[in-house]
Amino acid sequence: MTATESTTAEAVVALSDVRKTYELGGTVTALDDVSLSLAEGSYTAVMGPSGSGKSTLLNLIGGLDTPDDGNVRVGGQNLGAASEQERATVRGTEIGFVFQTFNLMPRLTAVENVALPLVFDGWDRTERLDRAREVLDRVGLGDRYDHEPAQLSGGQRQRVAIARALAPDPSILLADEPTGNVDTDTGAGIMELLAEINNAGNSILLVSHSRRIAEHAERIVHIRDGLIEEIETVTPEVA
Amino acid sequence: MDPRETLRIAGRSIRAHRLRSTLTVIGIVIGIASVVVFASFGASVEASVIDDIGGTDANNVYLLPASTDDEGPAGGPGLGQPVFTQHDIEQLREVKGVETVLPRGIVQLSAVEHDGQTVAQRQATATTPATFDNDSVVAGRGFRQGAAELVINERAAAAFPGNLSVGDEVTLQLASGDRETLTVVGIVSGTRGGFLSSFGDVQSRYYLPTEPYYRTTTESPTLGVDQKAYPQVTVTTAPTAVQSARAEIEAYAAESDATRLLPAGFEVVVQTSGDVVEEIQDVIDRITRFVTGIAVIALVVGAIGIANITLVSVTERTKEIGIMKAVGATNRDTMQLFLTEAVLLGGIGAVVGVPLGLLVGFGAAVYAEVSFTLPINWIVFSVAMGVTTGVVAGLYPAWRASKVDPIEALRYE
Ligand SMILES: Nc1ncnc2c1ncn2[C@@H]1O[C@H](COP(=O)(O)OP(=O)(O)OP(=O)(O)O)[C@@H](O)[C@H]1O
Ligand SMILES: [Mg+2]
């Protein structure tokens, strides 16, 4: 193991020498020997050009995909060696996904959408609906419990998605371009919400093209062609 | 995952596509209803036939000529021949457990006249007064041997305008050209006595005393003298002695005049109502199974409908599958969800199809004038079929759903 970064005890996510390739006519190396550690409560952004491997990185950490080589540890569990069922459990309890296109269930209300991860985690119905309302209150949608996604604005949908990601109290929030489908003002609101969530102690990994968005994080990981180019520490703006 | 939540999600998805779910369910309803209709109608017919035959004539033993060759023609020259001689009848009376022996002869007619009206009638049955038990006589009484008396069934009474009633005089035109005038002394229900004659009530029947109207004779091989001879004999036994009497009757039948008189290839068969019931039951069972089997084809078509719609549902909801997997659904959860959807469609089909089938089956039973019988085992079978159909039809689509790659699915628009 040639970890370029030591895995600290409080690391919620630790990747070491992770490689991911796709066979498609030729071999596409989406990630090449990537090692990265995310401390508990940290806020990290990933930047890089299109096709550089940002989404691939998120999918591996989120247990949606498995590495060809190397270790992906989330909350102490090695996802590379985990069974499909174990990865599903990690996705449902350790990870909170926020997508660019919201990805809400169209026929479920806001509360039901937020409660969905808890359904698969075997929560009792009243408990999970209570929890969903609590989280919706936290993202400022206390008055939209029973709205379906089609009855909500883009910004509101993304807030529901963030609430859903927070519902199981995960180890880390993975957000892939969370502001990509909303206008600038709404995006600012979303970023403010993520900052609040981070301040409350949640770890966040954010993918963005935009430096302005990425600067909300404490660190920016620059990747290009599947390789980590640089890990930049963001100096807090002096107001 | 929580089965109630599974049901709720599956139900919601079915309700989201009301029309297409309804059409799919109709397919299953038709399949299950057809199975129930044919099964219940078959069971009803079977039950009433058995009731008709088994109920009244449980102590009867029938002797009749039959082909020795099972594959042979059902009719043939041996069947109507007068082979049971008076000697046979007297010998049968001696068998232990036998209460009465009823010879049955055919008197050929051409027509029957009453009060200037003529009705065509091919034959009358010559028998003995013991044929008429008290239950069967609805008016008057049985005839006496040697008297110019006649018993008819209700159907025959209704054949004349204004109906025949007890006390009326009737003139029979015999096929021989003779004319005989008799008095109607009794009216019976159904068609009395004789092999299988109690099933149905469709034919006009005239019953005459063998004395003096039955004149067919044959030489008894045993006694060497001419005697009256009959084509059919019904023996009534004591209720507890049916089987023992039957065995003795069979033993006698082998050496009877009838056996000796029958042409080669024929023998005297001895049957009880039980045999007949069993045979009929067997035939109706086979027909029911065959027709119900055809109805099962409708169910298979319905199952294909479910498979089709569930597959469409999986394709349409690929993205939703991806979302569910991203928030923690296992492959098994996903499979369960779609399987539940298919089983729900099949189950709704069964819930609607079974009562519908029973209703139609009841209608058919009323129309066919048989009493309706609830085929409980077939109902259980149909509901199980509906659910099984759902499972089988849903299995492949659900498996497909479980194999959906969440990354691909989330990219899917
Ligand atoms: N399923 C796949 N099959 C083949 N190649 C793939 C697959 N998924 C990703 N790739 C390739 O892997 C590389 C990294 O893709 P990835 O989606 O991680 O990029 P990205 O950094 O998220 O880009 P963007 O900013 O456009 O979202 C790309 O070259 C892409 O073509
Ligand atoms: Mg991407």
Side-chain angles (χ1 to χ4, degrees):
Chain A
M1 200 163 103
T2 57
T4 54
E5 200 177 10
S6 61
T7 44
T8 57
E10 327 81 85
V12 284
V13 172
L15 286 79
S16 54
D17 307 322
V18 167
R19 174 191 292 277
K20 181 76 191 174
T21 55
Y22 293 102
E23 295 295 336
L24 204 82
T27 303
V28 180
T29 305
L31 287 179
D32 194 1
D33 273 334
V34 169
S35 296
L36 180 67
S37 167
L38 304 177
E40 182 153 12
S42 64
Y43 192 166
T44 310
V46 180
M47 280 191 74
S50 188
S52 56
K54 305 182 294 293
S55 295
T56 305
L57 182 71
L58 244 60
N59 291 340
L60 287 174
I61 296 172
L64 288 172
D65 214 340
T66 45
D68 297 330
D69 244 325
N71 280 329
V72 178
R73 299 180 89 59
V74 175
Q77 191 160 5
N78 184 4
L79 292 186
S83 68
E84 160 55 35
Q85 184 144 357
E86 287 165 339
R87 279 193 288 128
T89 307
V90 168
R91 291 197 294 266
T93 56
E94 303 288 336
I95 307 289
F97 278 107
V98 179
F99 303 93
Q100 178 174 354
T101 53
F102 321 134
N103 285 338
L104 297 174
M105 298 286 274
R107 278 189 299 274
L108 300 188
T109 63
V111 169
E112 287 166 333
N113 262 292
V114 174
L116 193 61
L118 311 180
V119 169
F120 299 116
D121 194 27
W123 287 45
D124 178 81
R125 183 173 166 82
T126 43
E127 272 179 37
R128 67 176 182 251
L129 292 182
D130 283 348
R131 169 70 179 160
R133 289 190 194 99
E134 181 191 321
V135 188
L136 276 175
D137 290 344
R138 192 169 154 201
V139 300
L141 286 177
D143 53 348
R144 293 289 188 274
Y145 292 159
D146 297 321
H147 285 56
E148 286 179 10
Q151 300 162 330
L152 295 169
S153 73
Q156 287 170 334
R157 282 181 220 182
Q158 196 58 300
R159 281 168 189 268
V160 173
I162 291 170
R164 179 181 63 189
L166 287 173
D169 195 18
S171 299
I172 189 162
L173 232 60
L174 302 178
D176 198 345
E177 304 273 8
T179 58
N181 264 23
V182 294
D183 61 58
T184 320
D185 284 350
T186 313
I190 298 287
M191 291 320 293
E192 221 167 276
L193 176 61
L194 287 177
E196 272 171 37
I197 289 166
N198 177 243
N199 287 339
N202 294 76
S203 319
I204 299 177
L205 182 63
L206 169 88
V207 165
S208 183
H209 278 109
S210 150
R211 177 153 191 102
R212 204 170 40 76
I213 296 290
E215 275 175 348
H216 283 79
E218 300 155 353
R219 292 191 306 167
I220 301 177
V221 177
H222 293 272
I223 69 173
R224 180 181 295 272
D225 297 333
L227 287 162
I228 294 183
E229 270 190 337
E230 182 199 352
I231 298 179
E232 168 194 359
T233 306
V234 179
T235 43
E237 289 171 43
V238 190
Chain B
M1 73 186 270
D2 181 0
R4 274 174 311 170
E5 192 59 29
T6 311
L7 261 177
R8 201 173 289 127
I9 296 177
R12 207 190 299 245
S13 132
I14 287 171
R15 260 178 285 129
H17 302 282
R18 239 173 257 273
L19 179 62
R20 125 183 149 190
S21 303
T22 307
L23 292 175
T24 309
V25 166
I26 286 174
I28 291 295
V29 166
I30 291 173
I32 287 182
S34 318
V35 171
V36 172
V37 166
F38 292 120
S40 66
F41 184 60
S44 302
V45 169
E46 189 176 307
S48 25
V49 168
I50 289 166
D51 201 42
D52 276 355
I53 301 169
T56 53
D57 303 332
N59 307 331
N60 286 3
V61 178
Y62 304 97
L63 284 88
L64 65 162
S67 168
T68 50
D69 180 8
D70 276 347
E71 312 296 313
L79 290 182
Q81 285 194 13
V83 292
F84 296 96
T85 61
Q86 197 62 41
H87 170 70
D88 281 346
I89 287 161
E90 267 140 35
Q91 291 298 308
L92 287 170
R93 285 208 172 106
E94 298 304 311
V95 172
K96 210 171 128 232
V98 168
E99 288 184 344
T100 51
V101 178
L102 309 171
R104 216 162 299 279
I106 303 296
V107 176
Q108 304 291 339
L109 304 180
S110 52
V112 181
E113 289 171 27
H114 167 68
D115 205 12
Q117 302 284 338
T118 303
V119 170
Q121 173 74 18
R122 267 184 41 238
Q123 59 181 43
T125 305
T127 183
T128 56
T131 298
F132 307 104
D133 55 50
N134 291 334
D135 305 343
S136 62
V137 180
V138 293
R141 56 171 172 82
F143 52 62
R144 287 168 306 185
Q145 198 66 278
E149 292 178 345
L150 180 68
V151 171
I152 58 176
N153 71 352
E154 289 169 316
R155 174 71 184 229
F160 284 91
N163 285 5
L164 285 178
S165 46
V166 173
D168 284 347
E169 295 227 317
V170 166
T171 302
L172 305 182
Q173 293 179 13
L174 302 187
S176 61
D178 293 350
R179 299 165 65 85
E180 300 278 1
T181 300
L182 297 90
T183 307
V184 176
V185 295
I187 295 176
V188 291
S189 62
T191 56
R192 291 313 305 161
F195 184 57
L196 282 191
S197 55
S198 57
F199 175 50
D201 181 15
V202 282
Q203 285 181 320
S204 293
R205 294 280 180 177
Y206 290 77
Y207 301 95
L208 316 168
T210 50
E211 287 297 336
Y213 299 104
Y214 190 70
R215 294 171 193 134
T216 307
T217 58
T218 299
E219 188 187 304
S220 160
T222 316
L223 303 178
V225 296
D226 268 8
Q227 285 194 320
K228 280 205 166 71
Y230 306 89
Q232 231 187 67
V233 176
T234 302
V235 176
T236 316
T237 67
T240 52
V242 186
Q243 287 315 317
S244 65
R246 179 202 171 149
E248 275 196 57
I249 291 168
E250 267 176 344
Y252 173 71
E255 56 187 55
S256 64
D257 282 353
T259 300
R260 298 207 225 165
L261 286 168
L262 277 171
F266 286 87
E267 62 180 349
V268 172
V269 298
V270 177
Q271 286 192 311
T272 62
S273 303
D275 296 337
V276 177
V277 165
E278 234 167 69
E279 245 166 63
I280 292 180
Q281 202 167 4
D282 204 46
V283 169
I284 296 178
D285 255 3
R286 239 179 292 167
I287 295 173
T288 304
R289 275 202 300 270
F290 174 71
V291 177
T292 308
I294 292 174
V296 168
I297 293 173
L299 200 53
V300 170
V301 174
I304 293 170
I306 291 190
N308 187 26
I309 227 64
T310 312
L311 217 47
V312 168
S313 182
V314 170
T315 311
E316 273 180 354
R317 285 158 64 203
T318 300
K319 180 142 193 173
E320 289 182 35
I321 296 169
I323 296 171
M324 289 191 290
K325 286 192 167 182
V327 301
T330 59
N331 289 351
R332 215 176 118 199
D333 291 333
T334 317
M335 186 143 180
Q336 197 179 323
L337 217 55
F338 284 91
L339 211 50
T340 304
E341 204 175 311
V343 170
L344 219 49
L345 289 172
I348 296 170
V351 165
V352 179
V354 168
L356 183 70
L358 288 177
L359 205 68
V360 176
F362 178 74
V366 168
Y367 179 74
E369 294 180 359
V370 295
S371 58
F372 184 67
T373 307
L374 260 185
I376 296 295
N377 50 342
W378 277 97
I379 292 173
V380 173
F381 174 78
S382 304
V383 175
M385 277 293 274
V387 173
T388 311
T389 301
V391 172
V392 170
L395 219 45
Y396 174 69
W399 178 81
R400 281 266 298 258
S402 79
K403 292 293 160 225
V404 164
D405 174 7
I407 301 172
E408 292 289 328
L410 288 168
R411 222 179 265 150
Y412 187 96
E413 284 306 323

